[in-house]
Amino acid sequence: MCGKLAPGDRLVQRQLASSLGVSTIPIIEATRRLESDGLVVSYPNWGAQVRTWTDQDTEDAYLAREALEGVACRLFAERAGRVERTQLGALVQMYHDAAIQRDSLASTEADVALHNHIVHSTSSSTLIRLVESSCILTATLFNARIRAASANIQADPNVHETLFDALTDGDPEEAERQGRAHVREAYAKLAAIKSNGG
């Protein structure tokens, strides 16, 4: 998710296992998960490599996430109880703190945890699976683009404030609108990195 491997890089199981200090079994399992998430492509009798994404592929991934995120936010507003809303506030704060400290890895992890919490609070197993995969995919694409462009993009500590308000105010339609807008804004930042020399 942090974009250490570039598009087209080959995933050599023994090398990865050695560098991570594990056997090849978890590497094989992880590669299969990455392939199902759309991040890796496998070829018979050759192995796997990091998928190369076109601009259209990336835009399509964000459009899919926008739709999924909107539904998840609508259902959160309808179904989440006091405990889930309190936990959401804690995750918003965690992201804020990481962004203030300019810790890009921690802010990315907090962002993914926050969006996963939203969808888990819907209790929809199908939506949970789809949104988790979509979150991992778009976060990976975003970080890889930043690394490739050597862009100095700092996370906005307050990026979740409007979304949090919409999710906790109890209006499902507004929650869906803000959920979709949140993803659109993330894609706009990604496109700006490309146009500014990425």
Side-chain angles (χ1 to χ4, degrees):
M1 189 162 62
C2 59
K4 289 182 179 178
L5 295 175
D9 281 356
R10 189 175 180 186
L11 304 179
V12 181
Q13 293 175 357
R14 289 182 181 175
Q15 289 179 0
L16 290 170
S18 177
S19 66
L20 296 172
V22 298
S23 72
T24 57
I25 294 174
I27 298 298
I28 293 169
E29 293 173 352
T31 300
R32 287 176 181 158
R33 172 62 192 271
L34 291 169
E35 185 175 12
S36 71
D37 287 339
L39 294 168
V40 165
V41 180
S42 294
Y43 301 97
N45 304 316
W46 185 82
Q49 68 180 142
V50 179
R51 180 177 172 183
T52 299
W53 285 76
T54 66
D55 289 343
Q56 187 64 59
D57 290 333
T58 302
E59 182 179 5
D60 290 347
Y62 271 87
L63 286 171
R65 182 176 171 194
E66 179 186 329
L68 292 167
E69 195 84 17
V71 174
C73 289
R74 169 183 283 276
L75 293 180
F76 183 96
E78 292 175 350
R79 299 177 181 179
R82 182 179 56 82
V83 171
E84 289 81 11
R85 292 166 194 259
T86 300
Q87 290 172 339
L88 179 65
L91 289 166
V92 168
Q93 187 64 48
M94 185 184 302
Y95 176 89
H96 177 275
D97 294 346
I100 288 289
Q101 295 167 10
R102 297 190 173 188
D103 186 335
S104 59
L105 179 59
S107 62
T108 297
E109 289 176 348
D111 184 68
V112 171
L114 187 156
H115 288 281
N116 282 343
H117 172 71
I118 291 170
V119 71
H120 275 270
S121 298
T122 70
S123 300
S124 169
S125 59
T126 300
L127 192 59
I128 288 168
R129 178 176 52 82
L130 293 171
V131 170
E132 282 184 344
S133 293
S134 182
C135 261
I136 291 169
L137 175 57
T138 53
T140 302
L141 291 171
F142 193 89
N143 287 335
R145 176 70 62 83
I146 289 173
R147 288 174 62 87
S150 298
N152 185 21
I153 305 297
Q154 298 299 329
D156 176 2
N158 302 311
V159 72
H160 294 107
E161 298 300 325
T162 302
L163 179 61
F164 174 77
D165 290 342
L167 288 167
T168 55
D169 281 348
D171 182 346
E173 289 187 9
E174 180 62 15
E176 180 171 356
R177 277 194 294 272
Q178 292 302 327
R180 294 180 70 106
H182 183 75
V183 177
R184 280 197 304 273
E185 289 168 12
Y187 177 70
K189 290 179 182 178
L190 187 74
I193 295 169
K194 172 76 172 179
S195 64
N196 289 337

